[in-house]
Amino acid sequence: MAAEGHAIDALGQFQLHTAGSFIGAAVNFTQANLMMVLAAGLTLAMLHFGARPKAVVPGRLQALAELSYTFIHDMCTDQIGEAGKRFFPLVFALFFFILFGNMIGVWPYAFTFTSHIATTLALATLVMVLTTAVALRLHGWKFFSYFVPAGVPKLLLPLLVPIEILSYLSRLISLSVRLFANMMAGHVMLEVFGAFIVMLGTAGVIFWAPAGLSFAVNVALIGFEFLVAVLQAYVFAVLTCIYLHDAVHLH
Amino acid sequence: MRRIAVAAVTLLALPTAALAAGMPQLDFKNPLMISQVVWLVIIFSFLYVLLARWALPKVAGVLEARATSIAADLDLARDAKAKSDAAVAAMNEATRKAHAAAQAEIAAAVERSKENAAAQTAELNARLEAQLAAAEARIGAARAGAMQALREVATDTADVVVTRLTGRAPGRAALDQAVAAVLAARGQA
């Protein structure tokens, strides 16, 4: 995996291959998709087993399920308003799909499907198409007034309207690249410092100290990865809510 | 030593090497790139539908059940409080009534005893008045008797004195007249 020959192969971990023996290969089912199934399954299992006791005073798992529910529900109603309840299942699905995807990715030998731009771009496209569709359906042609800033001299409009349109479209890039780049960078760092441990550790006794330092860095990086995993899922969900707020209320 | 040098060079050359090797994420010739997105759409759709139709309503049901049970308990507590408030109010009212009744009773009793005392005093005064009048009458009679006796004594004494001095007895009528005149002059007739 690392330090094959004399080069650090930091990017090989992102290589896709099929999973699920010949059946998976027959339908091009990749290991990323396997992790997606796992993330979706964990999300559903958390809610299913959490809601099962139906206790008035919740146990740990039930508290987890209920807190997840109220956390995302409050996020939707706070950011979007009353209309946010309609988008609650989608935001919930996005947040926990990405969160579990990121978390699973920190596990050794697992694969981080959020480290693929194609995946994050697909999720961002979903959000963009949805927000634009919601805005068009609620406001019709008035939606395009969104690109005309209020209280601006008419002379500046030819300059500002293209900028507004560009910034609207760049949401797609910022949503997808932010998540993809964060996850990829973290895993490349882990891989590089992991390779250092092996290289320095086998180079001789005098290099054991820097090898140990690399190990300490990797321990810190793992903790950092968990932070990034939660933060990026949260950012994705919050931005989705903010975009939906813009779509529902225009400005 | 050579290995370390190689490692250092590799680390410094990493960004360039990465770009040169090409990121697997940008390898769009790989058919798995498209297929993973297709599978993503399928898996995410399933996740969304299952969450919206099955998993989230379950949690919502648990939360709702708790909210209703808490609301029911609060209603129960509110009812109990209202009842106890009413009971306290009734008790206060009863206490107030009993207090007022007792006050009226006491006032009546005081009034009654005052009347009795006044009646007794009046009766006693009347009796004392009557006794006083009787005693005064008796004193008056005694005094009249005494005065009468005094007159007779004076008349007799005057008769004796006059007889001794003159040697002859004065007339009874003249004596009576003289004594009466003297007594009248002294205001004791």
Side-chain angles (χ1 to χ4, degrees), chain A residues 33 36 97 119 122-123, chain B residues 36-45:
Chain A
N33 300 130
M36 288 174 193
F97 189 64
T119 302
L123 292 174
Chain B
Q36 76 160 342
V37 174
V38 172
W39 279 110
L40 164 70
V41 171
I42 295 167
I43 294 163
F44 194 78
S45 307

Side-chain angles (χ1 to χ4, degrees), chain B residues 96-112:
Chain B
R96 206 179 54 73
K97 269 185 188 157
H99 204 76
Q103 286 287 359
E105 197 74 17
I106 289 167
V110 166
E111 195 60 34
R112 251 196 329 272

Side-chain angles (χ1 to χ4, degrees), chain A residues 82-97:
Chain A
E82 274 306 292
K85 283 176 183 163
R86 283 177 59 203
F87 307 111
F88 164 60
L90 178 79
V91 177
F92 193 95
L94 278 171
F95 179 79
F96 279 96
F97 189 64

Side-chain angles (χ1 to χ4, degrees), chain A residues 28 33 48 56 66 115, chain B residues 23 25 35-36 39 58 66:
Chain A
N28 276 356
N33 300 130
H48 172 67
V56 175
E66 286 177 9
S115 69
Chain B
M23 300 197 304
Q25 290 101 319
S35 74
Q36 76 160 342
W39 279 110
K58 270 175 72 166
R66 172 171 315 128

Side-chain angles (χ1 to χ4, degrees), chain A residues 23-166:
Chain A
I23 303 170
V27 290
N28 276 356
F29 189 82
T30 66
Q31 88 273 40
N33 300 130
L34 188 65
M35 297 300 153
M36 288 174 193
V37 172
L38 198 59
L42 281 172
T43 307
L44 292 168
M46 176 185 81
L47 294 183
H48 172 67
F49 292 109
R52 208 164 52 169
K54 291 189 171 69
V56 175
V57 179
R60 286 181 200 181
L61 196 60
Q62 192 183 337
L64 176 69
E66 286 177 9
L67 283 175
S68 313
Y69 185 98
T70 47
F71 173 60
I72 303 292
H73 197 267
D74 289 353
M75 188 198 283
C76 285
T77 48
D78 288 352
Q79 298 283 352
I80 310 173
E82 274 306 292
K85 283 176 183 163
R86 283 177 59 203
F87 307 111
F88 164 60
L90 178 79
V91 177
F92 193 95
L94 278 171
F95 179 79
F96 279 96
F97 189 64
I98 293 169
L99 177 67
F100 278 117
N102 295 349
M103 288 296 216
I104 291 167
V106 188
W107 201 260
Y109 297 106
F111 184 85
T112 322
F113 63 77
T114 42
S115 69
H116 263 253
I117 182 77
T119 302
T120 60
L121 195 62
L123 292 174
T125 308
L126 167 70
V127 172
M128 281 299 288
V129 170
L130 178 78
T131 51
T132 311
V134 165
L136 279 173
R137 180 151 179 204
L138 285 180
H139 304 286
W141 290 107
K142 254 187 75 192
F143 161 64
F144 292 101
S145 72
Y146 184 75
F147 301 115
V148 184
V152 164
K154 281 205 159 51
L155 213 66
L156 282 174
L157 283 182
L159 185 67
L160 283 174
V161 169
I163 291 177
E164 287 287 327
I165 292 172
L166 215 67

